[in-house]
Amino acid sequence: MIKVLANDGIHNAGKSALENEGFEVLTDKVAQDQLIEEINTKEIEVLLVRSATQVRKDIIDSCPKLKMIGRGGVGMDNIDVAYAQERGIDVFNTPAASSQSVAELVFAHFFTCARFLQDANRQMPGKGNTDFKVLKKNYAKGIELRKKTIGVIGFGRIGQAVASTALGLGMKVMAYDPFLEEAEIGLEVMGVGKIKTVIKTTTLDDLLTNSDFITLHVPGSKGTASLIDKNEIEKMKDGVVIVNAARGGVIAEDALLAGLESGKISTAGIDVFENEPQPREDLLKHPKVSLTPHIGAATNEAQERIGLEIADKIIGFYKK
Ligand code: NAD
């Protein structure tokens, strides 16, 4: 029986699909330093990870029976992909399965920021029954999203899902992506049908100077300069709202905090951090920042799609 180790978990739908095809799926978490021994003694052929387990050269070199490495999700920064492929190991991810979930988290942050929910949720438990009127006044200057301009930086799968949601909310969408001139965006209106429109990309400067809300959906670029730093923030509209659910570091955290302090940036929603899993405290404690611990893909629906896509890929590989 072919053994699959899902070291960071797998949705039951994916597990069952594999078991129905005769695979054995192990889901007990193995510590990083015991992985090589576990893979070799149990003769595991497929190693599945999310973002927690690292699959580096040591594992690839020491586990000759390993045939596939699967990443449930998008970013493959925890896997030495090219090295594994050179050694004949099939490496795959599930890029499309979580786009809608990430897009919805982006709007959870935008709505939070637009009405100061991040701070209201912190203040109400302590002061809600003593300073109700003061708090009410503090959060009196909320804004609506409708008719505002959203700037989407990186117009791939998630960027386009964000655009579709924004169109549904009645927002004007601007997009910047140096590798794309335009994209057709579909919007499913339940009970009505699908509406389609083409959005042409623009320059980064045009987007920065004209957007009320800005969200990033570019690949991570560890070790390189941040795409959004002090200079880019200076070009933005006063009171802009920014969300980063891409990768820590695509916005420079120092510049972000400086922008929040000066009021240039009114509020920010952050799902990903430069120093995960130990983000800096001044960012975590900032009253103008809405925070989530890298949960863009963490919905039942996304995890189910990821599990089923993983199962499909493994079954397809062994049927070849
Ligand atoms: P994608 O590859 O479909 O799209 C990325 C887009 O960015 C591409 O169209 C590319 O042309 C564009 N791009 C590349 N460099 C750029 C640059 N310098 N400026 C502007 N655009 C640039 O990827 P995706 O599936 O949309 O994912 C986007 C990001 O979201 C990735 O960083 C991914 O790791 C992250 N992500 C986060 C979560 C989460 O839990 N928060 C979940 C899934 C994905």
Side-chain angles (χ1 to χ4, degrees):
M1 193 180 270
I2 295 159
K3 286 185 186 151
V4 177
L5 171 61
N7 206 43
D8 299 328
I10 182 170
H11 192 278
N12 267 339
K15 186 169 182 270
S16 303
L18 284 165
E19 287 169 346
N20 289 343
E21 291 292 323
F23 292 84
E24 184 180 349
V25 184
L26 310 170
T27 52
D28 282 341
K29 176 101 182 164
V30 180
Q32 188 71 44
D33 59 0
Q34 284 159 21
L35 257 181
I36 292 175
E37 201 190 324
E38 180 81 0
I39 291 170
N40 287 332
T41 49
K42 295 213 169 134
E43 301 193 330
I44 287 159
E45 292 191 15
V46 183
L47 174 60
L48 301 176
V49 300
R50 288 181 182 153
S51 57
T53 302
Q54 303 284 315
V55 194
R56 300 293 174 208
K57 289 178 183 165
D58 57 339
I59 293 183
I60 295 161
D61 283 339
S62 312
C63 303
K65 294 223 163 118
L66 206 55
K67 291 200 169 65
M68 293 184 98
I69 300 168
R71 157 74 160 108
V74 185
M76 307 258 262
D77 8 357
N78 53 328
I79 302 171
D80 285 337
V81 177
Y83 192 77
Q85 287 169 335
E86 277 166 28
R87 270 140 197 85
I89 299 177
D90 190 86
V91 187
F92 66 93
N93 62 355
T94 57
S98 59
S99 303
Q100 182 61 26
S101 292
V102 180
E104 291 189 18
L105 183 71
V106 167
F107 284 93
H109 280 296
F110 277 143
F111 282 119
T112 295
C113 289
R115 306 301 290 270
F116 316 108
L117 303 191
Q118 82 289 343
D119 199 50
N121 277 322
R122 287 169 182 161
Q123 299 302 327
M124 285 294 280
K127 296 185 183 162
N129 52 13
T130 52
D131 295 319
F132 194 91
K133 285 187 178 166
V134 176
L135 293 180
K136 186 176 163 102
K137 204 169 158 214
N138 286 350
Y139 310 129
K141 293 202 171 154
I143 51 170
E144 295 179 349
L145 272 69
R146 197 170 124 83
K147 298 209 171 158
K148 300 292 188 312
T149 299
I150 181 171
V152 182
I153 301 178
F155 211 36
R157 287 173 291 255
I158 299 172
Q160 292 182 29
V162 165
S164 170
T165 309
L167 291 173
L169 286 167
M171 301 182 84
K172 178 182 172 192
V173 179
M174 296 182 82
Y176 165 68
D177 191 317
F179 305 103
L180 207 68
E181 275 183 20
E182 60 179 36
E184 187 180 81
I185 306 299
L187 171 63
E188 184 83 41
V189 182
M190 298 302 278
V192 176
K194 200 161 190 176
I195 297 165
K196 288 180 185 166
T197 184
V198 171
I199 293 179
K200 291 191 185 301
T201 53
T202 183
T203 61
L204 183 57
D205 273 9
D206 188 27
L207 181 150
L208 295 175
T209 49
N210 289 299
S211 299
D212 305 295
F213 293 84
I214 292 179
T215 180
L216 286 114
H217 302 290
V218 296
S221 52
K222 229 174 192 166
T224 60
S226 297
L227 183 58
I228 301 298
D229 210 326
K230 191 169 173 280
N231 286 341
E232 290 71 33
I233 290 173
E234 268 166 19
K235 292 177 186 163
M236 294 176 188
K237 275 186 167 181
D238 291 342
V240 65
V241 180
I242 302 179
V243 166
N244 182 12
R247 278 289 178 269
V250 299
I251 300 178
E253 289 178 356
D254 279 334
L256 175 73
L257 282 162
L260 287 162
E261 284 305 312
S262 73
K264 177 80 181 171
I265 303 170
S266 78
T267 35
I270 306 293
D271 184 51
V272 290
F273 301 84
E274 278 175 17
N275 195 31
E276 288 182 28
Q278 278 147 342
R280 53 195 285 180
E281 287 207 7
D282 48 358
L283 189 57
L284 295 179
K285 293 190 171 146
H286 202 289
K288 294 181 180 175
V289 182
S290 168
L291 300 149
T292 44
H294 202 150
I295 56 162
T299 63
N300 292 338
E301 292 86 348
Q303 292 309 314
E304 182 174 356
R305 283 193 294 268
I306 287 171
L308 289 171
E309 196 176 331
I310 283 173
D312 263 6
K313 285 190 171 152
I314 296 171
I315 294 162
F317 177 86
Y318 279 96
K319 278 196 177 154
K320 267 194 303 206

